[in-house]
Amino acid sequence: MSVTTASKASTSFNPIGNEEPVLRVYNSLTRSKDVFKTRKPKHIDWYNCGPTVYDSSHMGHARNYLTQDIIRRILRDYFGYNVNFVMNITDIDDKIILRAREKYLLDQTKSTHSTITPQLINDTKLAFTKFLHSKLIRSLPSPLTFNTQDDLEIFKIILEKDKNDTKFAEEARLKEEKFTLYLASLLKAHGAITKAEGQLNGSTEGDVVDLVDGTSDVLGPYYGETLGHTIKDPIAVSRTLALYWEDQFFADMAKLKILPPSFKPRVSEYVSEIVTFVEKIISNGFAYEAEGSVWFDVNKFDGSEGDGFRHDYAKLQPGSKGNKKLLDEGEGALTGSKGKRQAADFALWKAKSKPGEPAWPSPWGEGRPGWHIECSVMASAILGRGMDIHSGGVDLMFPHHDNELAQSEAYHGCEQWVNYFLHTGHLHIEGLKMSKSLKNFITIEEELSRNTARRLRLAFMLQTWNQKLDYSRGLIADTKAKEETFDNFFANVNARLAQAGSSSEGKHGLGEAEEAITNDLFNAQKEFHAALCDSFNTPTAIQILLDLIAKTNIYFSTKGRDSNLGVVVNIAEWITRMLWMFGLGEGAPPKNGIGWGIATVGGQEGLNGQDVSSQVEPWARSISSFRDSVRKLAMDKSLSPEQLSKQILSLSDKFRDEDAVNLGLQLDDGQGQDGGALWKIVDPLSLVAAREEKKRIAAEKLAKKEASAKAAEEKKRIQLEKGKVSPRDMFRPPHVQGLFTEWDEQGLPTKDAEGKEVSKNAVKKWQKEQKVQEKLHEAYLAWVKQ
């Protein structure tokens, strides 16, 4: 097996066409794949909408940020751009304010109550009532009549109706998708209240915690509305919650191997810049103040004349103009509408509406920034009057990104603030939208307890980045199969390299097969480049790598020990570089340039950080045990040479199939250069899985064989039992009763029960049956004799 390089083969390479593909990117602004041109040579200014930090990161976040990371790596490490990647942290938002004050007040309740009090139970009941009527009863598909005033009992009636009336249950969820969540929150609170009522005369601090936690879904909003004004420092309360979830978010991103942003501005750090930004929009005539809030005037902006151009509103989703549901969701739960001139107008600055809400000073009074203005200000502060790329989830297109564009272009007086808008597609779980109400809501931490970060990244790469991604069991199974293909390829190449001789035996080793596989490499590289130029077509790019591996495996199987490892190394090194470029490598890069490391569940590093002894110990234990067993056999004088040889081979097979597998050592007998075993270091889990699958198949075959043998034995028993009867007696009593009255010498019936002659056709039929019985009887007699 030679290691000659493939320089000779390159001279016969025939290129696929002469036109060099250029990078085109799907641009949501134009709804087409546009040629990618940056404002500065080889430099990209990129703004990505970051998280609103108030809860755990979920698979929807993974879909967005993993996808952006893959594209960012392609642009940086494949196309060679310098990427200035800015991602904001939204730490001022209605969701954060609500969640923070609820948590603060619930924690305060737990810390100030050593026992359950009548007042605390009364609070939970009032909260239960408020939630029941404002959420659940309001969502009923049709009015229900209740013969009680007790809200705890009313809830039980609704719950029973939901369990027993299928039509009611379906209609309720069609009317309100959160109906199941409302039921779950009230059921949990109902149980906690009922339990607490029995503990009034003897409760502990732990019982208080159980009651507050059990009713938190209803008690939190109730306290937020009734006690929110008592919070002395609402900014600090919101900031504490936001910082906690920001840290959790970046911890999850690190586990997913997502590159950190170049800059991560927080909204709370840019409030003064936001005020200045809003002032200029007002002075430009595109916003107005009303009762302490500032609203963007959509009608004034849309169609207004610029410097040689006309402003357009809703460039991304013009069909969503005036969509009240989307507009209301964009404004937030705490935003009022006082002084707003048109329904489409959106808040640039929100006046402080209630005591206990965080607020900052402004020329229009205390308040806080609107959601959409935050990104415009931070992006402009860091990137200037425009940018190359703006990205985010497809759900942000309207109103968030359309409003961003409008207010930024109103501020800068420009026609186009963003050159390319990249929107990642929706994430569905097994064909359904991910939702807590559908019970298919998955956090990143939860998913990383089942699958590796590399598997998630590869799974996302197998579907187009800007289309809907269906995260399903089928996708994961397909991803695992492709992972194993890469693993086996690298293990095979490294094993052959480890056992290859350094001599070429005077042969260059570059024949037709080597020229063909080298041409396959060059063609794959060209096709791979074309795929990435086609708006980062990663599904095609990955398939190109897999196809090249398949061709290389065919080359190995054809050439065997005469394979030229030089041409194979070129292929393996290129595939390695491309996988690492995508962010699919694990641990430290391989020293020989071949391989992508071992991925582990949980997003943690593999064995790289362990000390040497902990890595060597299991190998030493297995080798020592094998050696002891061989010595024991060698010293056993009672064994013949044939017996000794047989038992040593059995020990060798056991080491190959059991000990070596557990260590991650794959031994392929007879495949080595010298005719010995070809050894490969692979993932122990995949080897164990393959071994168990092999055992399962063998067990199934054995079970089928035993079942067949048992069935054959039963058939034989039945035939022997039937063969006991002599052919001459088979139509006579006691074997046949009351059918015939006379028989001939052969035992065939001649007259029926009434004494009439039987038909010739009947006699012919019985003669055939008698011949069959003769064979059965002969077999029976032979069995008895044996």
Side-chain angles (χ1 to χ4, degrees), residues 591-620:
K591 291 181 180 179
N592 68 346
I594 297 173
W596 65 344
I598 297 176
T600 57
V601 172
Q604 303 300 318
E605 296 292 345
L607 296 174
N608 296 349
Q610 293 185 9
D611 59 85
V612 175
S613 62
S614 64
Q615 296 181 50
V616 170
E617 185 179 343
W619 291 78

Side-chain angles (χ1 to χ4, degrees), residues 729-745:
D729 298 331
M730 64 183 293
F731 297 110
R732 297 175 181 272
H735 308 297
V736 178
Q737 297 283 0
L739 294 180
F740 311 112
T741 54
E742 290 186 19
W743 297 264
D744 64 12
E745 293 179 358

Side-chain angles (χ1 to χ4, degrees), residues 372-426:
H372 313 298
I373 197 69
E374 299 169 352
C375 290
S376 293
V377 174
M378 290 183 286
S380 296
I382 297 172
L383 301 177
R385 287 176 54 84
M387 67 195 73
D388 299 297
I389 296 176
H390 195 323
S391 59
V394 68
D395 54 309
L396 297 179
M397 287 179 75
F398 185 90
H400 184 55
H401 286 160
D402 269 323
N403 288 354
E404 266 192 67
L405 285 171
Q407 64 202 8
S408 300
E409 289 164 7
Y411 174 87
H412 292 293
C414 63
E415 180 181 10
Q416 186 167 316
W417 185 54
V418 174
N419 287 344
Y420 302 88
F421 243 119
L422 276 54
H423 287 103
T424 54
H426 283 298

Side-chain angles (χ1 to χ4, degrees), residues 97 101-102 104-105 108 220-235 237 352-358:
I97 295 169
R101 76 183 184 189
E102 288 173 15
Y104 175 82
L105 293 169
Q108 186 181 66
Y222 175 76
Y223 274 165
E225 290 182 16
T226 58
L227 299 177
H229 64 280
T230 64
I231 299 175
K232 294 180 179 179
D233 191 350
I235 292 179
V237 168
K352 181 179 179 181
S353 57
K354 291 181 180 178
E357 291 183 5

